[in-house]
Amino acid sequence: MASCLARLARVRIPPRHQVTLASSLRHFSASSSALARRPKLEERLTADQAYDLLDDDFDDDDTTSAGHLMLREQRRVLHYMRLIEHEMPKLVAYRKPFIPPTSETPLIVRSLDYAGEEHPATAKRVIVVAVDQLPLTTPAAIHKLQLLAGPRWTPNPPTDAGVSKDTPWGHGFVKISCENFPNPSMNLKWASDALDRLKNPDNFSNVPIDLRHVRSKAAKSKRGDHLRGRLFDRPTIADFPQEWLPPNSS
């Protein structure tokens, strides 16, 4: 690169406009604005001069394109290493002890994050709660909640709810999500208010629960959960007949 610039400096560039003595003088206010712009490099060089610059020998005073990419990657890694060394210890001031959830805080709130990058899904909030942990005291209230929740209620915990698969199912789980508002707190407030509306003391004991979404989901998984009553009572190792076990040798 340095040799190319030096070669360009040694090239004699002829003036763009030859001014002769016979030409008449022109006032500056009457001159064209196109004459005031800076001429481009391709306008100042001839074709032969441009080829001479391209054919200039490499003087080993610079690295290749792959070398520049490697140096850029090393600078990027060094930047993050400096952040880990100098900025990460400051996060200790924001450390909080882990407090397991209690019966007073049954909601599980799930959010999405893309490492600080802007994304429309970062404003979405999802809440999951077990029906048994809600303040519902009568079977009619539980039935009414399952009925109004519709496809948001499932007998088993959702796969992306943060609930262990070994958790007792009980009366099922309710999952409500919202991404209609630009602020995450507004979406969380709407989902929480929707859950509160499901707990209104109305009587729906005579209305059956719609389980079409549960059966459809079980059938699409192709695991046989929709057959022979496995939808609510999937057999586990605890259901193995005790009489089939071999006698204890001791």
Side-chain angles (χ1 to χ4, degrees):
M1 183 63 69
S3 61
C4 293
L5 295 178
R7 185 70 176 275
L8 179 60
R10 293 195 299 267
V11 175
R12 181 179 179 274
I13 301 174
R16 185 184 179 192
H17 299 282
Q18 298 289 344
V19 181
T20 60
L21 297 176
S23 62
S24 60
L25 298 178
R26 180 183 297 177
H27 294 286
F28 180 76
S29 59
S31 301
S32 175
S33 59
L35 301 177
R37 67 180 180 87
R38 179 177 298 178
K40 299 180 180 180
L41 180 61
E42 58 268 17
E43 297 177 352
R44 296 185 299 171
L45 294 178
T46 63
D48 296 336
Q49 294 171 350
Y51 280 120
D52 292 340
L53 293 177
L54 294 176
D55 295 338
D56 194 9
D57 296 334
F58 184 64
D59 296 336
D60 295 332
D61 57 348
D62 197 3
T63 184
T64 60
S65 299
H68 281 290
L69 293 176
M70 185 182 299
L71 292 175
R72 184 175 65 178
E73 183 67 19
Q74 290 178 359
R75 286 192 294 267
R76 188 178 70 88
V77 174
L78 182 61
H79 169 69
Y80 286 107
M81 294 298 292
R82 287 172 177 169
L83 290 179
I84 295 174
E85 181 71 21
H86 301 289
E87 300 297 331
M88 287 296 184
K90 299 179 182 179
L91 299 178
V92 180
Y94 301 96
R95 181 185 300 171
K96 294 182 179 179
F98 174 73
I99 301 176
T102 61
S103 58
E104 298 179 357
T105 56
L107 293 182
I108 300 175
V109 181
R110 185 172 64 90
S111 61
L112 300 177
D113 186 74
Y114 291 86
E117 297 183 3
E118 295 184 359
H119 195 276
T122 56
K124 181 180 179 180
R125 290 296 181 268
V126 182
I127 62 173
V128 179
V129 61
V131 178
D132 294 339
Q133 295 182 355
L134 294 176
L136 304 176
T137 56
T138 61
I142 296 176
H143 178 79
K144 176 254 181 182
L145 176 67
Q146 296 172 348
L147 180 66
L148 295 182
R152 295 179 176 86
W153 173 84
T154 54
N156 56 334
T159 56
D160 56 351
V163 181
S164 176
K165 62 180 181 180
D166 298 330
T167 303
W169 292 5
H171 291 91
F173 295 80
V174 176
K175 175 182 176 181
I176 302 176
S177 62
C178 180
E179 53 181 342
N180 299 331
F181 304 99
N183 197 322
S185 59
M186 298 172 64
N187 292 321
L188 181 59
K189 182 64 168 57
W190 184 93
S192 178
D193 293 343
L195 182 62
D196 293 338
R197 290 193 298 269
L198 294 178
K199 298 184 298 182
N200 292 333
D202 298 328
N203 188 9
F204 290 87
S205 57
N206 297 327
V207 182
I209 299 176
D210 188 6
L211 299 176
R212 289 177 296 178
H213 65 284
V214 180
R215 294 191 177 93
S216 176
K217 183 178 179 180
K220 289 180 180 179
S221 63
K222 298 181 179 180
R223 296 181 179 179
D225 294 343
H226 60 292
L227 302 174
R228 293 183 291 274
R230 299 181 184 177
L231 191 62
F232 294 96
D233 190 11
R234 183 181 178 88
T236 61
I237 191 65
D239 299 325
F240 191 83
Q242 297 291 332
E243 59 274 11
W244 290 6
L245 296 176
N248 193 356
S249 60
S250 61

